[in-house]
Amino acid sequence: MQKNKSVWQKRSFYGALFGAVILASATAHADQFGVQLGGGVADHDVRKADVGAVWDPNWTWWEIGGFHFTVVGEAHVAYWDIRESQASNPGIWEFGLTPMFRFIKSSGWFRPYVEAGVGIRLLSHVRETETRTFSSAFQFADVVGVGAQFGAHQNYQAGFRFQHLSNGGIEHPNPGINFSQIYLQYNF
């Protein structure tokens, strides 16, 4: 029994070490980091304020007519202000990670893009009102949007996103919620 425990501990240690090396390597080659501020509205009189940290590793592939595909990683913390009079939790916190795939113009001062991503979210509370409850704190976030990166050093971004949160039918009820959001981003 002790030998199996020792093997499991070694494997866990080496797995964590491998993950740390990969993360450090990716961070060392990172081209750009950014801070994103956003706001949005949803059905059922819900407003959302969002702060995100963005990592752009400057990966490019499939150059097509002056545009290319890329991916950026985003980490978000958001606050939902639920304004319904029967709100059980008038404030819900949302925490999540999303890889966003973009088709963006390859050069120029103004670089428009379309984007899409699927991420994960954790909610601080599952009950909005007495009649509206998410069955789990774990949610998926499906995101589509349009935006533009601009400036002499591509330091600025602005965009619009549609975001759908639901648990993907893992548990019921699964009411989901849809947000329309705008965001501004500054890249360092």
Side-chain angles (χ1 to χ4, degrees):
M1 184 74 166
Q2 184 65 18
K3 185 177 180 181
N4 288 341
K5 186 176 180 183
S6 176
V7 169
W8 177 250
Q9 287 174 336
K10 282 183 181 180
R11 287 182 181 169
S12 297
F13 172 76
Y14 288 122
L17 182 62
F18 178 73
V21 168
I22 294 298
L23 183 61
S25 171
T27 303
H29 293 95
D31 183 63
Q32 204 168 50
F33 287 92
V35 175
Q36 191 179 96
L37 301 175
V41 295
D43 42 357
H44 305 286
D45 206 13
V46 179
R47 289 175 175 73
K48 179 179 181 176
D50 190 304
V51 176
V54 181
W55 172 54
D56 182 355
N58 200 24
W59 296 338
T60 62
W61 64 91
W62 290 332
E63 183 79 31
I64 303 168
F67 286 76
H68 67 272
F69 286 94
T70 189
V71 65
V72 298
E74 296 185 359
H76 289 271
V77 176
Y79 180 77
W80 301 6
D81 181 18
I82 301 169
R83 299 190 168 212
E84 282 191 50
S85 60
Q86 305 166 0
S88 298
N89 292 299
I92 294 178
W93 288 93
E94 170 192 325
F95 305 92
L97 300 169
T98 306
M100 293 297 295
F101 294 89
R102 291 186 176 152
F103 186 60
I104 184 169
K105 187 175 179 192
S106 298
S107 62
W109 187 87
F110 183 79
R111 299 172 54 192
Y113 57 82
V114 295
E115 62 183 355
V118 176
I120 57 171
R121 298 290 189 269
L122 287 175
L123 303 178
S124 62
H125 297 89
V126 295
R127 182 179 296 275
E128 279 185 55
T129 67
E130 291 300 319
T131 59
R132 187 164 168 75
T133 300
F134 296 96
S135 59
S136 67
F138 177 80
Q139 303 286 309
F140 293 103
D142 304 323
V143 184
V144 294
V146 295
Q149 189 168 324
F150 53 94
H153 301 287
Q154 300 297 294
N155 290 93
Y156 307 101
Q157 284 181 234
F160 171 81
R161 289 180 173 166
F162 175 80
Q163 180 186 55
H164 172 75
L165 265 71
S166 78
N167 69 23
I170 295 171
E171 292 185 38
H172 294 283
N174 182 27
I177 189 165
N178 299 317
F179 287 98
S180 296
Q181 300 177 227
I182 58 170
Y183 67 92
L184 300 172
Q185 181 175 318
Y186 179 77
N187 299 316
F188 300 99

